[in-house]
Amino acid sequence: MTVPGIGFEEVRERMTGGGVLLVDVREDEEWREGHLPGAVHAPLSEFGKEVSRSFAGREVVVYCRSGRRSARVVERLVRMGHTGVWNLEGGIEAWRGRLVKD
Protein backbone atom coordinates (compact mmCIF):
# COMPACT_ATOMS: atom_id res chain seq x y z
CA MET A 1 0.00 0.00 0.00
CA THR A 2 1.28 3.45 -0.86
CA VAL A 3 0.89 5.77 2.10
CA PRO A 4 -0.38 9.23 1.17
CA GLY A 5 2.29 11.79 1.96
CA ILE A 6 2.30 15.55 2.18
CA GLY A 7 5.18 18.01 2.19
CA PHE A 8 6.07 20.89 4.45
CA GLU A 9 4.81 23.69 2.17
CA GLU A 10 1.41 22.14 1.57
CA VAL A 11 0.90 21.47 5.28
CA ARG A 12 1.83 25.06 6.06
CA GLU A 13 -0.70 26.32 3.50
CA ARG A 14 -3.44 24.09 4.89
CA MET A 15 -2.63 25.22 8.43
CA THR A 16 -3.08 28.84 7.38
CA GLY A 17 -6.60 27.99 6.26
CA GLY A 18 -7.24 26.19 9.56
CA GLY A 19 -8.41 23.09 7.78
CA VAL A 20 -5.97 20.49 9.03
CA LEU A 21 -5.43 18.63 12.27
CA LEU A 22 -1.79 17.82 13.13
CA VAL A 23 -1.34 14.57 15.06
CA ASP A 24 1.97 13.79 16.75
CA VAL A 25 2.38 10.04 17.31
CA ARG A 26 5.72 10.24 19.12
CA GLU A 27 5.95 9.04 22.69
CA ASP A 28 5.61 11.28 25.77
CA GLU A 29 9.29 12.13 26.17
CA GLU A 30 9.61 13.13 22.52
CA TRP A 31 6.44 15.25 22.75
CA ARG A 32 7.81 17.09 25.78
CA GLU A 33 10.99 17.91 23.84
CA GLY A 34 8.87 19.94 21.41
CA HIS A 35 6.08 19.57 18.90
CA LEU A 36 4.46 21.48 16.07
CA PRO A 37 2.17 24.36 17.05
CA GLY A 38 -1.45 23.29 17.38
CA ALA A 39 -0.69 19.57 17.21
CA VAL A 40 -2.53 17.00 19.29
CA HIS A 41 -0.63 14.19 20.99
CA ALA A 42 -1.68 10.60 20.23
CA PRO A 43 1.30 8.34 21.07
CA LEU A 44 1.73 5.35 18.78
CA SER A 45 1.82 3.03 21.81
CA GLU A 46 -1.73 4.14 22.73
CA PHE A 47 -3.12 4.67 19.25
CA GLY A 48 -6.31 2.74 18.55
CA LYS A 49 -9.83 2.90 17.17
CA GLU A 50 -10.99 5.22 19.94
CA VAL A 51 -8.37 7.81 19.02
CA SER A 52 -8.99 7.48 15.30
CA ARG A 53 -12.73 8.11 15.76
CA SER A 54 -11.97 11.67 16.83
CA PHE A 55 -10.39 12.26 13.39
CA ALA A 56 -13.44 11.21 11.38
CA GLY A 57 -14.40 13.77 8.77
CA ARG A 58 -11.28 15.89 9.30
CA GLU A 59 -8.18 16.42 7.25
CA VAL A 60 -5.37 14.93 9.31
CA VAL A 61 -1.59 15.15 8.96
CA VAL A 62 0.23 12.61 11.10
CA TYR A 63 3.87 13.03 12.03
CA CYS A 64 6.66 11.55 14.11
CA ARG A 65 10.41 12.21 14.15
CA SER A 66 11.30 10.89 10.69
CA GLY A 67 8.01 9.81 9.12
CA ARG A 68 8.30 6.05 9.60
CA ARG A 69 6.00 5.56 12.59
CA SER A 70 3.51 8.08 11.27
CA ALA A 71 3.41 6.24 7.92
CA ARG A 72 2.29 3.11 9.79
CA VAL A 73 -0.46 5.13 11.51
CA VAL A 74 -1.63 6.67 8.23
CA GLU A 75 -1.72 3.22 6.64
CA ARG A 76 -3.82 1.96 9.56
CA LEU A 77 -6.21 4.93 9.31
CA VAL A 78 -6.67 4.44 5.56
CA ARG A 79 -7.38 0.74 6.10
CA MET A 80 -10.01 1.76 8.70
CA GLY A 81 -11.72 3.85 6.00
CA HIS A 82 -10.45 7.32 6.83
CA THR A 83 -9.91 9.72 3.94
CA GLY A 84 -8.01 13.00 3.96
CA VAL A 85 -5.13 11.58 6.02
CA TRP A 86 -1.48 12.16 5.17
CA ASN A 87 1.95 11.38 6.50
CA LEU A 88 4.21 14.41 6.93
CA GLU A 89 7.13 13.55 4.66
CA GLY A 90 10.36 13.55 6.65
CA GLY A 91 8.54 14.06 9.96
CA ILE A 92 9.27 16.81 12.45
CA GLU A 93 12.97 16.70 11.51
CA ALA A 94 12.14 17.86 7.97
CA TRP A 95 9.88 20.56 9.41
CA ARG A 96 12.62 21.82 11.69
CA GLY A 97 15.11 21.78 8.81
CA ARG A 98 12.78 23.90 6.66
CA LEU A 99 12.19 26.43 9.44
CA VAL A 100 15.93 26.92 9.80
CA LYS A 101 16.21 27.57 6.04
CA ASP A 102 13.22 29.97 5.85
Side-chain angles (χ1 to χ4, degrees):
M1 167 184 215
T2 302
V3 174
I6 190 168
F8 170 83
E9 290 299 330
E10 190 171 352
V11 172
R12 199 155 75 169
E13 287 174 19
R14 289 173 185 259
M15 284 177 64
T16 303
V20 69
L21 174 65
L22 294 172
V23 179
D24 186 326
V25 295
R26 296 173 306 146
E27 297 305 320
D28 293 339
E29 185 176 314
E30 295 171 289
W31 168 263
R32 285 189 297 270
E33 290 172 359
H35 49 273
L36 300 180
V40 297
H41 188 213
L44 180 60
S45 62
E46 299 173 17
F47 203 90
K49 288 182 181 179
E50 298 77 30
V51 173
S52 70
R53 283 188 195 125
S54 64
F55 306 152
R58 301 208 47 197
E59 287 189 328
V60 177
V61 174
V62 183
Y63 74 91
C64 63
R65 185 182 57 78
S66 68
R68 289 187 199 139
R69 289 175 283 178
S70 53
R72 291 194 333 244
V73 170
V74 170
E75 182 177 358
R76 189 181 316 168
L77 289 170
V78 169
R79 288 185 192 277
M80 291 172 142
H82 290 272
T83 58
V85 244
W86 298 275
N87 181 41
L88 177 60
E89 296 166 350
I92 195 170
E93 292 300 319
W95 187 284
R96 287 176 178 152
R98 287 300 307 260
L99 289 177
V100 170
K101 292 177 185 176
D102 288 351

